[in-house]
Amino acid sequence: MQENHENAFNLSISDLMAGMLSVFILAVCYFMLNLGQVKDQYMGNNAKRDQLLEEIQEEMSERGISVKIDKKQGVLRIPEGALFAQGEADVKEEGQQVIRNLGDVLYQLLDKKEYKNVVETVFIEGHTDNVDIHTDEFPSNWELSTKRAINTWNLMRGDVPELDREKNANEQPIFSCSGYADTRPIVDDEYDEDSEEGRQANRRIDLRFTMMPPVDESK
């Protein structure tokens, strides 16, 4: 009789362990499946960002304006030296037409079905050269770079007011401004940031595109 009880007990433990193992395997499978879906969404968003950058570059090229794109960083760079004089935040006359064309292109593309609700933010980033500035208007390069970004955005939305109403999937404004002073110089063997050519190149505006994060459908 005691042996029967022991056998029944051992059988119950075995059944329990088998059940727990099955649950664990199912949980791991579900986690891996969900992780794969999130990864696919992430890769898909990056592919769309690359596609968007390429389309912007092509549209600007058709208008006779050359812009550079960095797919790895998700950055579109407006032609170096076209926008600002040293120590100034006002967009130069020849740069204003570049900004206006870019604003028009952005509005047309961001309004396309394939890009709706996939772009989270477009950061308009202002940059300066490495010459320190100390004026009443700009106590440092931080204020100068931020003002450059703001002036660029104001010029863009002034010409294309619809950009101000662009929202992401969370109903938040897509466009924002930021300044980086001289902390992020262009990394390029072609330029020496201490040369006049290098300083001109770093007086620039970058547009950095970030995409909506993947949705975890398990939550």
Side-chain angles (χ1 to χ4, degrees):
M1 180 70 71
Q2 183 178 358
E3 183 177 349
N4 290 337
H5 282 301
E6 289 178 352
N7 289 338
F9 178 77
N10 291 335
L11 184 61
S12 298
I13 292 295
S14 298
D15 289 343
L16 178 62
M17 294 300 293
M20 291 177 64
L21 180 60
S22 298
V23 171
F24 176 75
I25 291 173
L26 288 172
V28 170
C29 290
Y30 179 78
F31 173 78
M32 295 301 295
L33 177 62
N34 190 61
L35 182 64
Q37 291 174 341
V38 170
K39 183 179 179 181
D40 288 344
Q41 289 180 48
Y42 179 80
M43 297 299 291
N45 282 352
N46 278 351
K48 280 200 172 183
R49 184 176 70 179
D50 292 349
Q51 179 181 325
L52 175 58
L53 287 170
E54 288 177 355
E55 287 198 42
I56 295 172
Q57 188 178 47
E58 289 170 6
E59 289 290 334
M60 292 294 284
S61 179
E62 288 181 7
R63 298 176 185 222
I65 301 170
S66 175
V67 296
K68 295 182 179 179
I69 58 175
D70 180 344
K71 293 181 181 178
K72 184 177 181 181
Q73 301 294 327
V75 167
L76 180 142
R77 180 162 296 144
I78 298 174
E80 295 91 347
L83 300 182
F84 307 104
Q86 189 169 23
E88 299 292 333
D90 292 332
V91 181
K92 293 192 292 187
E93 186 174 346
E94 59 264 38
Q96 292 181 16
Q97 193 59 33
V98 174
I99 297 298
R100 292 191 174 100
N101 274 280
L102 180 59
D104 187 49
V105 168
L106 285 172
Y107 173 65
Q108 291 183 30
L109 291 179
L110 290 174
D111 220 38
K112 290 176 68 173
K113 183 179 179 180
E114 56 262 47
Y115 299 126
K116 277 290 185 182
N117 297 324
V118 297
V119 178
E120 181 180 30
T121 309
V122 179
F123 293 98
I124 302 173
E125 300 179 346
H127 299 266
T128 72
D129 58 32
N130 61 359
V131 177
D132 290 335
I133 187 171
H134 302 283
T135 67
D136 290 340
E137 185 177 8
F138 305 118
S140 74
N141 284 345
W142 290 104
E143 286 83 4
L144 176 59
S145 63
T146 303
K147 187 63 175 177
R148 284 176 173 173
I150 293 171
N151 284 353
T152 299
W153 169 234
N154 284 337
L155 184 61
M156 197 180 294
R157 68 175 175 173
D159 200 59
V160 188
E162 294 85 356
L163 289 175
D164 214 6
R165 298 190 287 272
E166 288 288 339
K167 301 290 180 68
N168 61 25
N170 295 325
E171 288 299 310
Q172 300 164 330
I174 285 182
F175 289 91
S176 64
C177 299
S178 56
Y180 290 93
D182 59 336
T183 62
R184 297 190 182 184
I186 296 174
V187 179
D188 193 327
D189 293 337
E190 182 183 348
Y191 297 112
D192 174 3
E193 63 177 305
D194 291 321
S195 69
E196 181 51 42
E197 183 184 29
R199 286 170 177 163
Q200 178 174 296
N202 280 313
R203 296 193 293 269
R204 71 190 196 276
I205 291 291
D206 287 348
L207 271 67
R208 188 178 302 272
F209 292 75
T210 63
M211 311 305 280
M212 292 298 298
V215 178
D216 186 350
E217 296 179 354
S218 66
K219 294 182 179 181

